[in-house]
Amino acid sequence: MTECNAGSHVVELSDDLLIGRRQTRSVYRHPERDDLVLKIETGKAPGRKRWYERKPRIASSMERELRGYANLMARLGTHRTFVARIYGLEQTSLGPAILAENATHGAEAHAVLRDLLKDRVGLDLTPEQMRFVARRYAEIGDLLTDHRVFTHGIRPENFMVLRNGDALELRVFDHKTNVYRQLISPRFVPGAERYEQRRKMNEVQALFDAWFERHGAGAG
């Protein structure tokens, strides 16, 4: 999965389709389908040739996400509602892109979990609703860990909280692997990946605890 098919349809992307940009990645709405997004690596490509003059290759982080998603699906054995699907690669006017499910499609309101926990955005959630979000996060984390799915998706910046009326849902939209620290290699330390994933989950639980304290509510 390192190349796009030559001669395939090129999806035209423009700035008005941009949903967000983070580090070296940009995410665009699909110009023809609201339920899909296109993830583009924005790092500079080597050489002076324009994208259509170069042999199309995907960035290593994109390849890691595709592999991570394939590993997740293989280990879970079936699609789970909290997983935002990946459908493959598309060639776009900005280069190769990951074609994925829009994790926020159909929601009345949504927010990234980290932003919610840091009070950067609000969904007008009650403490009881936040307790549900905290329990649901723990359930998803436990499920992934029990199935030996060690993924960047466990981080709060890769969870989307969706609200429809009083109903809440969590979606994971980033599936890159290798959550363990570089100094803790699973080649030399058995169980390092599981330890690192549990450590990250405990950090997120601490963010939930801090949110409840700020809002004068117990974690329950």
Side-chain angles (χ1 to χ4, degrees):
M1 289 188 291
T2 59
E3 297 183 7
C4 294
N5 294 330
S8 61
H9 171 66
V10 176
V11 179
E12 291 292 333
L13 296 180
S14 56
D15 289 344
D16 62 313
L17 296 172
L18 182 66
I19 296 175
R21 181 176 287 118
R22 192 176 74 189
Q23 296 177 343
T24 61
R25 177 172 290 194
S26 295
V27 180
Y28 292 82
R29 295 193 307 275
H30 194 285
E32 300 172 1
R33 291 185 57 178
D34 291 338
D35 60 328
L36 298 177
V37 295
L38 291 152
K39 302 180 181 183
I40 307 286
E41 287 296 323
T42 56
K44 279 190 174 181
R48 297 177 178 273
K49 294 181 179 180
R50 295 183 176 87
W51 70 266
Y52 53 79
E53 296 173 322
R54 294 193 302 265
K55 189 176 182 179
R57 302 189 66 83
I58 65 173
S60 59
S61 62
M62 293 172 67
E63 193 163 6
R64 281 172 54 207
E65 180 160 8
L66 291 171
R67 289 175 176 172
Y69 178 76
N71 176 65
L72 181 149
M73 295 301 291
R75 290 186 181 276
L76 292 182
T78 184
H79 178 258
R80 306 289 180 125
T81 57
F82 65 83
V83 177
R85 295 175 185 265
I86 287 179
Y87 297 104
L89 287 172
E90 285 282 352
Q91 184 60 275
T92 77
S93 55
L94 299 178
I98 290 177
L99 179 67
E101 182 181 359
N102 182 352
T104 68
H105 182 66
E108 292 178 5
H110 62 271
V112 176
L113 178 57
R114 175 172 286 280
D115 291 339
L116 193 62
L117 290 172
K118 294 286 188 177
D119 287 326
R120 296 170 184 159
V121 298
L123 292 181
D124 298 324
L125 301 186
T126 66
E128 183 57 37
Q129 288 175 315
M130 280 298 288
R131 292 186 191 102
F132 169 82
V133 173
R135 290 194 299 269
R136 185 61 180 142
Y137 171 82
E139 290 170 0
I140 293 173
D142 288 343
L143 177 66
L144 294 177
T145 305
D146 290 345
H147 284 79
R148 296 189 58 79
V149 178
F150 305 116
T151 170
H152 279 289
I154 205 68
R155 296 173 175 176
E157 58 265 34
N158 296 324
F159 272 87
M160 193 68 70
V161 182
L162 311 181
R163 180 173 64 78
N164 281 309
D166 293 332
L168 296 172
E169 184 182 358
L170 267 68
R171 306 291 308 281
V172 181
F173 58 89
D174 192 322
H175 309 287
K176 290 192 288 293
T177 54
N178 301 336
V179 299
Y180 54 84
R181 296 172 180 170
Q182 294 300 318
L183 296 179
I184 307 179
S185 171
R187 291 180 57 192
F188 306 110
V189 183
E193 294 161 310
R194 182 182 296 273
Y195 164 81
E196 182 63 11
Q197 184 138 300
R198 288 295 184 189
R199 185 190 67 81
K200 177 57 65 177
M201 289 173 62
N202 289 337
E203 287 183 359
V204 179
Q205 182 58 58
L207 292 177
F208 276 109
D209 293 342
W211 187 94
F212 289 119
E213 185 176 350
R214 287 196 307 275
H215 291 262

